[in-house]
Amino acid sequence: MNIFIPHHWLLEHLETNATSEEIQRLLSLSGPSVERVETKEGESVYDIEVTTNRVDSLSVRGIAREAAVILQQAGIGAQLRAQNIPEIPAPQESTLPLPQIENDPRLCRRITFVILDHIKHTPTPEWMAKRLRQIDQNIHDSAIDITNYITHELGHPCHAFDYDKIMQLGGLIKVVEAPAGKKLTTLDGVEYATVGGEVVFVNADGDIIDLPAIKGTANTAVDDSTSRIMLWIESIVAEKVRFGSMTHAIRTVAAQLNEKHVDPNLAPAVLQRGVQLYQELCDASIASEVYDDFPSPISPAPISLSTKQVEQYLGISLDQDTITKILQALECQVEWTDDSTFRVTPPTFRPDLTIPADIIEELARIYGYHNIPAKIMDTPLPLNRPADSTFQLELHIKEWLTMLGWQELYTYSMVSETQALASGFTVDEHLRLQNPLTDDKVYLRRNLIPSLSEVLDNNSQRPGLSVFEIAYVYHPDSGALPKQELQLCLVGQKPLREMMGDVEVVLRRLFLKSRIHQESDTLGTLLVSTDGTDWTKCGVLSRLSNTRSALTIELTQLLSQARRHPNYKPLPKQPALSESLTFTVPKKTMVGPLIASIQAADPLIDSVHFEGSYQDNVTFAISYLHPDQPLSSKDIEPIRKNIVTLVESEYGGILVGTLS
Amino acid sequence: MTIEDLQLQADHVLQQLSAEPTSDVSELRTRYLGKKGLFNQLAKVIGQIDPADRKTAGAILNQTKASIEEIIARLTAAGEHQALDWADLTLPGKKPPIGYVHPVSQAMAEITQIFERIGFVRVRYPEVDWDWYVFESLNMPPNHPARDEWETFFVDAPKHPEKGNMVLTTHTSNGQVREMERLGSTPPIRMINIARCYRRQQDATHTQMFHQFEGLVVDKGITIQHLKGTLDYFAKEFYGPEVKSRIRPFHFQFTEPSFEVDFSCHICHGTGKIENEKCKFCKSGWHEVGGAGMVHPNVLKAGGIDPEVYTGFAFGWGVERTYTLKPGLNIDDIRLLYSGELGFLEQF
């Protein structure tokens, strides 16, 4: 959460000669990060990111407290100024009766308030208005703006009730958990119905008269006619504040502070400061004693730790004096139990300090992270790699494909309903996001083809464009996490033979042979093998149109077959004998199986290559090789005869020419 | 005549040939290899050699003839070379059509290599995971305000009885406890997990999908010094030897202490100024890259590791953010990375 701190407001709480640049730099190095320093109305305003655990720093005073310690440590004079807020005096004239308070200490840790009478609705004075503008707050009038001002200054939210409205509603404030379905209207006129479990204030009739710690309700809020104010501070249990605020999406400054365990011990100072300002600016008179119900103040638990633990984190040792000095500057109590162990009791405004590591963090950041040396680990290396460590091969595949003319893409894992349907699965067969941000990213995809096709559609001026992506697709698995399949998908607009040639080259680099088993005119199965005998299904080839085809490969499966090196075969002692055979085959004869059949016809056939086709004729280059002996044309005569018979009987193909 | 004499004469012929001017190669061929050429004259002397040595003499003559042929062939080739047609050597090359490895892949490969050099093991873990691994085991109980920063996508699927909701991973930190589990809660751990992450936000600097890399080191005696050393090493390897890293306090539920990590600007070298003007690239001398910290004892416990015995550090940064801080890669809209915009991708 970011907070704006005007420089001169800060200096009311911090005595220092540090420049705003020094404050920005040093605070950022050892405390909250000052993201930028803006000039607003002629003055530096710090924009500071305060982390969720440091609600104590979400105020001018909180930042001043941090800055005092950090600047001092850096050798720049700095001191937190004392808070000279006058005590709230006794009621001046006649007192007004207090409303009846029925607290539930399980829900609210503290309630304190005072009644102020004769409120004048004066315009907010320029000095206050300027500061509120600098911190991006709207200006109303003094009676309202004082509460915002002191919240920002001291860090505990407070609220101004219209006293007369409270009394007209029965004069009872009861702290309860709301039942479901109760109506309330916030002070800005928005209506809500409770879901049950929010902490609310109700009157005797059970009507909601405030949504405490989050936002006031219209029926008790200050308006232009208000002349009596109940300046009120409550400390609702943080988890309850968060529940109410998140449930109704009411994210006021008050809610964002109160949900982070604001220290209830801050309340008296805030009340005093409020009274001071109402007296000064609205001419208020005090019309009651201060009511304060704080049944069980929480004392922070002491944390024990040792200098050895400090060293375990920092790698250097800090001496007793340094440790004590730093922690005391942070308002912790330090008690040494012996030379090396000590007990730290944090101040009440630091509920984030609960374990030794928290204390070590305080020591390290104030000591200065830049004062700790840097070195690489000299500890043992892990040797236990996961089985699926194929990252390098994946990178190689990407590099090979790009060199063959394929563009790599990254597309979103979430797809639209149209894309989900285009994947070959029904919409219901997809995992769906409960809370998608946009309509085009709703389903977890099961196939990369639609995403890649969309990119090709969007680049229609590049007719030859061919693209690929390696990404997970997500297959639902009842009751379990989805099965994540690492998919390599190619969508190409090259001629199909060229595309498959590219794929064969890549597979060759992985020492894999491949073939396609044709299922239909548009669909084929990719099979791969290391030795040409055992074939494993690894993917699907689909023709998307006459000019576009897609190949999806289950990459993990493929890479489990891949090899890093070949099975070396001794070089042949004799040259191979080669010849071309041309066959006239019936239309739609599939060449792939034909090659496989010829190859399998005789062990002396070393290779069969497709040389080309013309009309119904296909030509193969066949190479014969005997491992030890030279082959003569006579030796291969019977093999050639076999081939011709086989092609004729299994495929109806007729040899062009005659057998010699 | 002895063998030695023959060898001397043969050497003499070769030396003479080597010293010939090379103007007319065909004339040389006739003079050395022709019927009445020098070689044949040399070969005649074989009759004068002792019959016992004739085999050796034959070998010398064969070798000499081969050498003469080789020299003449070389001179012939050189002559042809001089006679080549004119060619324009300045013509631009004819390039085959190629594609480009996506910048995110390039960045991930570089990051992987850098960390593998100091013994990190790259792993992969689910991108759709249980709340337990993404939040709860990382010391973030349900409804904790710290979760607000992770704009989480929830998957419409039944809750796991122990591990809670199914979510898209908002960060790679889900790999922390998973890695501890993979190793049977037994350090040493030096993990680098690079994966897709998802957050419910979209503008010029945020995309619903992005990538993070997560480092996790756990062992006895791991300190903030090792984290600082690792960050410095990465900064120098990835951005250049003059770049420095620094850590500043921050808060994450799953680390304690927690840090924000900055790298010094390579343009103004960490000064924030160029000739007394504010550096326009970094504005402060430093670039914030992401978070880091010492592993919270509760996270070690969730992974079955005793925080009394072991300590560790972790860091997790956006790949896109880290990559686009490189010199010359000031990409103002990271949505381009996932747009399929060829004009963009073909620059990488």
Side-chain angles (χ1 to χ4, degrees), chain A residues 242 313 358 361 369 372 379 394 398 402 408 410-411 413 432 434-435 462 469 472 474 484, chain B residues 99-100 102 105 124 127 143 148 152 154 156 182 190 196 198 200 208 224-225 228 256 346:
Chain A
R242 171 136 179 107
Y313 274 79
D358 296 326
E361 173 166 39
Y369 289 132
I372 297 174
T379 51
E394 288 160 39
K398 292 174 181 185
T402 55
E408 190 191 7
Y410 274 63
T411 55
S413 308
R432 185 183 197 286
Q434 256 175 29
N435 56 340
R462 309 272 293 255
E469 179 170 8
Y472 281 116
Y474 312 88
Q484 293 193 174
Chain B
Y100 299 83
H102 193 277
S105 287
R124 57 176 118 226
E127 294 169 359
N143 302 320
D148 290 0
T152 310
F154 292 92
D156 196 1
R182 180 179 78 83
R190 283 192 205 189
R196 290 186 176 205
Y198 305 88
R200 217 176 157 277
Q208 295 184 46
I224 294 173
Q225 300 190 5
K228 285 186 68 175
E256 190 73 46
E346 288 177 350

Side-chain angles (χ1 to χ4, degrees), chain A residues 215-248:
Chain A
K215 201 171 209 176
T217 51
N219 55 0
T220 55
V222 171
D223 60 33
D224 290 346
S225 64
T226 302
S227 64
R228 290 167 175 162
I229 276 179
M230 233 164 53
L231 183 59
W232 175 284
I233 297 174
E234 79 274 300
S235 181
I236 307 291
V237 170
E239 291 73 19
K240 283 290 183 188
V241 179
R242 171 136 179 107
F243 171 70
S245 167
M246 295 301 281
T247 302
H248 298 290

